[in-house]
Amino acid sequence: MTELRCRKSETLEGDNEEEEKQKESELETKPVFLQRLVRVFFGCLASVACGMLYAVYLSTYHDRKFWFSTRQELEREITFQGGSGVYYYYYKRLIAAPSFERGFYELVVDNRTVSGQTINAVERLSLYPELITSFIYRVTGSQDFVEPIYFYIGAVLGLQAVYVTALFVCSWVMSGTWVAGMLAVAWYVINRADTTKVDHAIPLRDNWALPYFSWQVTALTGFLRNKIGSSTEMFCYLTMSATTFTFLLVWEHSHYVLFIQGFCLFLLDSFDLVPPRKIADIHKVYLSSLFLAYMFQFQNTALLSSPLLSLLIGSVLARYFQQRMKVGPLVARVMKLFLHFYLVFTSGITYSYLVKKLIAANESDFILKFLEVKFGLNTTTDFVPNFLLCQESFQTPGQDLFLRLTQASVLPFYFLVLTVCLLSALQAIYRRLSGQPLCKTYSLENGGIGEKPEVVYHVFHTMLFGGLALLFDGMKYLWTPYVCMFTAFGVCSPDLWMTVFKWLKLKSIHPVVLSLILSTAVPTIICFSLWREFSPRVLAELSELQEFYDGDTVELMSWIKSQAPVAAVFAGSPQLLGAVKLCSGSAVTSLPLYSDINLLKRTEDAYQVYAMRSAEDIYKLLTAQKTNYVIIEESICNELTINKGCRIKDLLDISNGHIVYDKGEIYSFSKYGRFCHEIKMNYSPYTNYFTRVFWNRSYHVYKVNSVISFQY
């Protein structure tokens, strides 16, 4: 009996001790939960505040730059530069349609834009942003209290707020502190000239698409993390699915961007840094998004032969044939890895080749020729490849880009963060190939930042996009924002500093304490220096009243709207034709769309007015496109640039064989004078084919005579 009583008392005491421990743990977790909740609340508040302040800043800057609120509608529309106004024209057309359904049908069967052609404008120009915006404008009844142009601009600037908010959240998720998000936004705004095009061309597809891509990258970053709950993982997965599909829908070049991202994930999977389940889920997102985009874009054949789909199919086939690729000793795994790369790219290239042969994709030869000329593998006299190479987006960036990033202090810290993360990632890859498991329960004391899959992904992401930015200046808008985000994460992350101290084997000061101090002190010093140096400049941009008024273009558009027939067809440069289409609604011979080889060929024919061709040749080319009026621009005809070989007239002379080389010098020679000069002399045979109907300092408009008059 006494033994039983003792046992009962012992068990009762044990139960009481367990209950006390549970109560203590609950009391301890409550403050931790509240602390996290407060931190998340203030972080979300700061991210939303940064986004809203940036949108207000852009709106104020846009109004000050163009005097937008004081302009008439025609003058406002001309501010859409770079040929981007053609997108706003379709938005205007949808608003003016008697119903949304009727407007959508007119865009799908559009015979009022390109002369002699009926095009599907929604597919050809990726007009889903205009469709969605005009639909919301109608449904919400916004026409009662806001003008269509302000609603359109507000939608784009609102997306820019979403953009910087996503960069804020991504840097916050990776570093664990929302100070990193604020630093990322500060760098983004300071380097605005190299992070966004929204300042000068609001309707461009990039400005609609890249905010969705930023949220897709943020969701992917959260999805790749090891320490993530099931509900959070599902939220990231759904966000990633929605943003991937939207990104594919609103930009015709989005599948190339996703191919680079897919290649980064392919490297993560090949080095066994991410669970195969997560890679399979991401592949499902890509495939479902491609299928839906293919259907919504009216069976867009470019998606069937896209490099992203080729990579996915190659990965699936290689995984099927190499089911035991990730086992074995180091040497065997390296050999299997090389074989895996070979199988993936061979099968992917084979698939792409077969699909292009089946669907007769003529764009592939044009892109291949362009890349050959770009990388110096071939030379050509064709106008189209040389014309594209002379576009600023496809040229090699100058030193000014790196000087600006260095002055803003982002580039030096970027190289520091990238070096530490890359070396740590290489250590992690070596351990995985050697068969060693990665730490699933990561702690600050471990000091291996390269063992985090999301960090390794961003290392590959910034390196690949950085390599492309060194080749193409236009790629800086995809690289620079993530340089700001990635650098802000690094300097604010205690894990990065702890990794450095672990390599240095620091013993004099406790490395954990020092890493926590540096992760707070360094970003504080950076923020203070940025505030001191750049805040006066940013505020000065809002206080300065800039004068943007193109009187000659306003005069030209006013004449077209008042004097030209409604059914008239205009020929000219693509950028000017975009403005003509927006301001007058007249049909044009081409559009500022450089991804369509047929439109580029029509652009070449229209540009022949700046070549050394006869009046009869120009007349035949223009009448073949049913042109009624041709606009000659003084800025192109008398163009003077340092890069002489990139002038339009030089490209045309090379293409037409009117170039003579003499003692290392290049001269243009033809039995005919330059058309844009000769036609101004107003003598036969030019007056037989063309009649001048309008001119000012910048533009000369000639009517293409329907009946040729032979007067001498």
Side-chain angles (χ1 to χ4, degrees), residues 323-487:
Q323 297 182 1
R324 296 181 58 83
M325 185 191 75
K326 299 177 181 178
V327 295
L330 176 62
V331 177
R333 291 189 65 171
V334 171
M335 296 298 292
K336 291 178 182 178
L337 198 60
F338 280 113
L339 180 60
H340 184 68
F341 288 165
Y342 175 78
L343 287 175
V344 169
F345 289 107
T346 302
S347 54
I349 292 172
T350 303
Y351 164 80
S352 179
Y353 175 79
L354 292 175
V355 169
K356 287 176 180 177
K357 286 296 181 183
L358 290 175
I359 63 177
N362 56 354
E363 288 87 355
S364 58
D365 296 335
F366 148 68
I367 295 175
L368 183 62
K369 181 181 290 186
F370 166 75
L371 293 176
E372 286 178 351
V373 177
K374 172 64 181 178
F375 296 122
L377 302 176
N378 197 1
T379 57
T380 182
T381 59
D382 291 349
F383 175 82
V384 172
N386 291 327
F387 172 69
L388 290 179
L389 286 174
C390 287
Q391 300 301 304
E392 186 178 357
S393 297
F394 294 114
Q395 291 185 348
T396 304
Q399 295 180 355
D400 294 344
L401 168 64
F402 306 104
L403 288 175
R404 288 191 297 268
L405 294 177
T406 303
Q407 290 173 355
S409 73
V410 64
L411 198 61
F413 283 106
Y414 168 72
F415 283 126
L416 170 64
V417 174
L418 181 62
T419 302
V420 175
C421 292
L422 178 60
L423 293 176
S424 183
L426 292 176
Q427 286 182 338
I429 291 170
Y430 177 77
R431 284 198 294 270
R432 290 302 293 144
L433 293 179
S434 301
Q436 301 177 20
L438 292 177
C439 297
K440 297 296 182 182
T441 58
Y442 183 84
S443 61
L444 182 58
E445 290 80 3
N446 292 337
I449 195 172
E451 294 185 358
K452 294 183 175 182
E454 67 273 18
V455 174
V456 182
Y457 162 75
H458 280 282
V459 169
F460 293 150
H461 181 109
T462 55
M463 289 180 64
L464 289 177
F465 280 105
L468 292 172
L470 292 176
L471 298 173
F472 304 100
D473 186 67
M475 291 299 296
K476 69 182 180 183
Y477 299 107
L478 282 164
W479 176 63
T480 313
Y482 295 96
V483 168
C484 300
M485 185 278 301
F486 184 71
T487 309

Side-chain angles (χ1 to χ4, degrees), residues 27-74:
L27 291 172
E28 289 176 357
T29 53
K30 282 183 180 179
V32 173
F33 175 75
L34 290 174
Q35 199 174 19
R36 286 183 180 177
L37 187 63
V38 170
R39 191 188 307 164
V40 169
F41 172 77
F42 280 105
C44 293
L45 192 65
S47 65
V48 173
C50 286
M52 293 179 66
L53 287 173
Y54 180 63
V56 172
Y57 168 78
L58 285 179
S59 178
T60 308
Y61 177 77
H62 180 263
D63 188 71
R64 291 299 184 101
K65 181 179 180 180
F66 298 110
W67 294 47
F68 205 75
S69 57
T70 61
R71 300 293 190 191
Q72 299 297 321
E73 183 179 2
L74 178 63

